Amino acid sequence: MNKLFYLTIFLFLCLMPHAQEQNLLSGTYSAEELQRLLIPRDKWTPFPPLDDRQGWAVADTASLGVYTRYAESVLDYDWPTVPATLSLLIVRTGNRSEYQKISYRKRIVLANMILAELYENRGRFIDPIINGIWSICEESWWGSSAHLPQTDEYAGLMDVTQPYVDLYTGVTGGILAWADYFLGDRFDAVSPQIRKRIRHEVHSRMLQPLMTVHHGWMSKKPDGRAPNNWNPWICSNWITCALLLENDNAQRAKMIERALRTLDEFVNPYPPDGGCSEGPGYWGAAVGALYDNIALLNLATGDAFRYVYESEKFGNMCSFIYKVQISGHYAVNFADAGPRIGTAGALTYRIGRDIGDPALMRYAAWYGHPVGADFVRAHYARDFFDLFLPDAFEHSPSALPLPQDVWFPDLQVAIARDREGSEKGFFFAAKGGNNGESHNHNDIGSFIVYYDGRPLLIDVGNPKYTAMTFTDRRYELWNLCSDYHNLPTINGVTQHEGLDFRATGATFKKGKASTVFSLDMAGAYPAEAAVNSWKRSVTLNRGKNVTVRDVVDLQKAGSVVQHLMTCYPVKVAGAGRITIDYTDKDGATVPLTVRYDAGQMDVSIEKIKLETESDEGVRANWGDTLHRISLSVKSPKTRDSYTLVVEK
């Protein structure tokens, strides 16, 4: 009996899905096993070489035509230098965009020219490509000026003696690696120095630092925060460069092994529910980039990493993107995510196909495969996968799944709508969690309300990134603070940032007639707020309204102000009624109402002025129509309750 028992346990552990394991990616193969599995570089053809015209004949000619027309329009592009003074703007004025305009543009032009030459194979783009490669190789810094250390030692300029890898160093290395793979023979016909230069620069700026220096994005921060999208995004380009440019197969395997261990620093702490704390706007750079790594490795090993697609956790990470969809191009946008989302349909379809998720495939097909040329190829390998995507994608059934109720218990985000599969009626999303999340806003307990798929009470979302955005001055930005979310200011105090400031007791109860999310958000406020408990419930009463009820217990009752954010004009329509001039999808104005206790609260309304460079991101999302509603409690009590009802 004992032998049978232990044998049963052994078999159970052996057959457990990989989702239950730590080190899903790095725990399967040793460096020696990886070396045996990896197809040698000189024999690896992930996509048809340039001279395989039969192979290129089945590529997506419509997309290649778009890229080629763009490349033709910049055939005489004069590859500019990036002046030191543009890099210095990051410390002089906080501006990063002027530097990025030049840096990004060069990479956009180069990436499109490579694709155009692959399409034509006529040689007319070879010299411009060589000029682009040479110009980029002569830059002092491949990354963004905003990613330079903000210290006196750097003071806005790169220390070329201490190379390190940021997002766009990785992006640049990936573009150069694919240029070498596809066009290397053409370069050699001009001069052997071109490929030699590519390898030297990628090795010294990227591969060597990644193998010898610990970068902060590789693992948890000192305060315990898990790695964000930088980790899989950079790793996807790291693996690309190792696979395509490293001649020594043993060293190549060691690079892949270290990259896999780095990726597991991202995957291991990721919540089992698959919730992306950075929001849906970052899903493509986070989970999408994680998939990029696995897809490349499967090409390079004969599918030795397909087991990852069977992981329950990985499946949850992938399905997150359609579960947070509100309607059309709107998605739940807590943290730095914007409210509008444009999903990469081809990438998402491939993910859905590989993990066997028909809903994700339908979602991807709904978005289709819009082709553009004038954007940074941050994930360049996707272009090549997409070019050879089977025609099944174009003819796949398409629909937004729009599930009725969604609960991410680890992320603590709740979602409910009136009817599954429909944009019609009321929708709410609300969140708990903590205020130390990646791209965090101080927003514990905040909620959003949409009606017929369009925003009513909103999360303002992301600013335009400047030097200030990711520094210790981050929370000087108004739209990151709780008093510009749908939250209360308690005794004149707003929520505080940090992992220690978190929700407690978050629950989610779904039913046929109503769905309720509740939490205690007192822990999000510092001690000076003098709050013992602040229990909030957000209820969708299907076909009727969204009701928000707060039950509070304060140590003192100095002042309480409830805030609501909307992107429409607002007016007080009578005692206890606020009217929001909501605009439906046809442009018609439909008054919606927020009811409150007029005997308990006074109302003030202000239009938010958008004046700074940071505010340009807000304006891009909402236009210049943001309003804040503030409901001030007339006679605060230490124990009280407040109710708001949103209805048509």
Side-chain angles (χ1 to χ4, degrees):
M1 176 66 80
N2 286 340
K3 288 183 178 179
L4 180 60
F5 173 79
Y6 287 116
L7 178 61
T8 302
I9 294 297
F10 174 77
L11 290 173
F12 173 76
L13 291 173
C14 289
L15 295 174
M16 281 179 71
H18 288 274
Q20 303 303 315
E21 301 174 1
Q22 291 288 85
N23 301 326
L24 177 65
L25 300 172
S26 65
T28 305
Y29 306 114
S30 66
E32 293 76 17
E33 289 169 324
L34 282 171
Q35 187 176 343
R36 289 194 295 271
L37 287 168
L38 287 167
I39 301 168
R41 191 196 62 78
D42 58 353
K43 297 179 181 178
W44 187 47
T45 54
F47 301 104
L50 177 64
D51 290 331
D52 180 3
R53 301 321 296 172
Q54 185 174 356
W56 279 98
V58 300
D60 177 9
T61 55
S63 297
L64 286 167
V66 171
Y67 306 144
T68 300
R69 288 190 289 277
Y70 178 91
E72 287 175 329
S73 72
V74 290
L75 194 57
D76 297 324
Y77 183 67
D78 184 13
W79 300 89
T81 60
V82 184
T85 49
L86 286 191
S87 185
L88 288 168
L89 288 177
I90 199 67
V91 294
R92 290 177 172 175
T93 68
N95 178 281
R96 58 190 283 177
S97 56
E98 293 303 312
Y99 177 96
Q100 289 171 176
K101 281 179 186 177
I102 295 179
S103 177
Y104 289 6
R105 173 81 166 170
K106 291 172 72 173
R107 285 142 182 83
I108 292 167
V109 172
L110 177 60
N112 279 283
M113 285 183 169
I114 293 166
L115 288 162
E117 186 59 39
L118 289 172
Y119 184 39
E120 286 191 351
N121 191 29
R122 288 168 46 193
R124 66 170 174 153
F125 294 102
I126 292 296
D127 277 358
I129 289 169
I130 292 171
N131 283 337
I133 290 171
W134 209 255
S135 174
I136 287 171
C137 285
E138 290 181 343
E139 292 175 353
S140 295
W141 168 234
W142 282 353
S144 168
S145 61
H147 299 157
L148 290 167
Q150 302 297 305
T151 65
D152 291 340
E153 181 183 355
Y154 284 81
L157 293 173
M158 181 59 186
D159 180 353
V160 297
T161 68
Q162 298 185 50
Y164 72 96
V165 183
D166 80 327
L167 288 177
Y168 290 98
T169 301
V171 168
T172 304
I175 294 173
L176 295 181
W178 286 112
D180 181 276
Y181 169 75
F182 286 116
L183 305 175
D185 290 344
R186 300 297 191 271
F187 296 159
D188 285 344
V190 175
S191 170
Q193 295 303 316
I194 300 164
R195 299 180 84 183
K196 184 177 179 181
R197 183 76 184 273
I198 289 173
R199 280 168 164 72
H200 170 76
E201 298 294 348
V202 173
H203 185 268
S204 61
R205 295 174 187 251
M206 189 171 165
L207 294 177
Q208 186 176 28
L210 288 171
M211 292 299 289
T212 58
V213 178
H214 179 81
H215 293 60
W217 51 263
M218 289 179 165
S219 60
K220 286 185 177 181
K221 301 290 188 292
D223 64 4
R225 284 184 297 145
N228 65 7
N229 65 83
W230 278 46
N231 178 299
W233 184 347
I234 294 174
C235 283
S236 66
N237 286 298
W238 179 2
I239 286 175
T240 295
C241 292
L243 290 173
L244 293 174
L245 298 178
E246 178 53 57
N247 294 320
D248 185 299
N249 287 323
Q251 182 64 15
R252 188 166 170 251
K254 289 179 181 177
M255 291 178 181
I256 301 301
E257 181 198 33
R258 181 169 166 85
L260 289 173
R261 283 192 276 115
T262 301
L263 281 168
D264 274 330
E265 294 286 342
F266 173 77
V267 176
N268 286 343
Y270 213 92
D273 65 15
C276 180
S277 66
E278 299 174 88
Y282 286 90
W283 179 87
V287 176
L290 177 62
Y291 172 80
D292 290 337
N293 286 276
I294 300 162
L296 277 169
L297 288 167
N298 279 324
L299 276 186
T301 61
D303 281 347
F305 288 83
R306 283 203 72 84
Y307 71 85
V308 176
Y309 301 147
E310 301 170 8
S311 159
E312 180 182 0
K313 180 176 180 177
F314 183 71
N316 288 339
M317 294 167 74
C318 296
S319 64
F320 169 84
I321 191 62
Y322 71 76
K323 292 176 181 175
V324 297
Q325 192 78 7
I326 299 172
S327 63
H329 296 281
Y330 284 108
V332 177
N333 69 307
F334 298 121
D336 267 348
R340 291 181 177 85
I341 183 170
T343 295
L347 166 76
T348 309
Y349 181 85
R350 290 193 290 116
I351 297 173
R353 177 198 63 192
D354 284 343
I355 68 171
D357 187 338
L360 186 56
M361 295 168 71
R362 291 194 299 272
Y363 166 87
W366 189 91
Y367 275 97
H369 184 40
V371 179
D374 197 9
F375 63 91
V376 179
R377 288 320 207 285
H379 313 279
Y380 197 29
R382 293 179 189 175
D383 280 325
F384 307 112
F385 280 104
D386 293 352
L387 286 170
F388 294 95
L389 189 65
D391 289 341
F393 173 48
E394 301 295 334
H395 307 291
S396 175
S398 64
L400 294 177
L402 304 179
Q404 186 175 55
D405 296 298
V406 178
W407 170 234
F408 297 97
D410 303 304
L411 187 62
Q412 293 186 356
V413 166
I415 294 169
R417 70 178 74 244
D418 271 350
R419 295 188 294 277
E420 180 158 355
S422 174
E423 300 178 357
K424 291 294 185 181
F426 279 107
F427 169 101
F428 89 77
K431 76 176 297 290
N434 65 75
N435 279 337
E437 296 165 339
S438 181
H439 290 272
N440 178 72
H441 290 200
N442 288 340
D443 59 0
I444 293 170
S446 193
F447 62 93
I448 59 175
V449 177
Y450 278 56
Y451 185 78
D452 283 355
R454 293 182 60 80
L456 181 63
L457 299 178
I458 65 169
D459 185 296
V460 174
N462 57 304
K464 179 182 178 181
Y465 292 165
T466 66
M468 187 173 164
T469 312
F470 298 105
T471 68
D472 56 8
R473 296 182 60 201
R474 176 175 174 84
Y475 294 94
E476 294 177 28
L477 298 169
W478 62 270
N479 57 308
L480 276 65
C481 300
S482 62
D483 51 340
Y484 289 90
H485 287 77
N486 300 320
L487 287 166
T489 298
I490 307 169
N491 290 315
V493 179
T494 58
Q495 291 188 8
H496 202 285
E497 67 274 10
L499 287 169
D500 292 336
F501 296 89
R502 57 179 59 245
T504 57
T507 63
F508 184 69
K509 295 179 181 179
K510 57 184 179 180
K512 185 176 181 180
S514 63
T515 294
V516 184
F517 168 70
S518 61
L519 80 166
D520 188 338
M521 56 194 194
Y525 291 81
E528 54 265 33
V531 52
N532 295 321
S533 68
W534 192 291
K535 295 180 179 179
R536 166 166 287 185
S537 62
V538 185
T539 303
L540 172 66
N541 296 302
R542 291 199 161 84
K544 297 179 181 178
N545 58 47
V546 174
T547 299
V548 180
R549 179 173 170 78
D550 292 344
V551 178
V552 309
D553 181 355
L554 306 178
Q555 297 163 25
K556 65 177 183 179
S559 64
V560 172
V561 183
Q562 295 272 23
H563 303 291
L564 299 173
M565 303 298 299
T566 185
C567 54
Y568 298 112
V570 183
K571 61 185 176 184
V572 177
R577 295 180 65 241
I578 301 166
T579 299
I580 300 175
D581 287 338
Y582 161 91
T583 304
D584 69 16
K585 65 180 181 180
D586 297 320
T589 298
V590 180
L592 277 92
T593 297
V594 178
R595 283 197 289 112
Y596 65 98
D597 184 342
Q600 186 183 39
M601 291 182 276
D602 289 325
V603 178
S604 63
I605 299 165
E606 62 180 308
K607 186 176 185 292
I608 305 299
K609 295 180 180 179
L610 303 177
E611 300 173 321
T612 68
E613 183 183 1
S614 177
D615 291 342
E616 292 174 16
V618 177
R619 189 189 300 272
N621 289 330
W622 303 112
D624 193 19
T625 58
L626 279 187
H627 289 78
R628 180 170 72 161
I629 306 164
S630 295
L631 299 107
S632 302
V633 177
K634 298 176 181 179
S635 301
K637 302 179 181 64
T638 55
R639 294 189 178 185
D640 210 341
S641 64
Y642 315 110
T643 300
L644 303 173
V645 180
V646 185
E647 60 189 8
K648 187 174 179 182

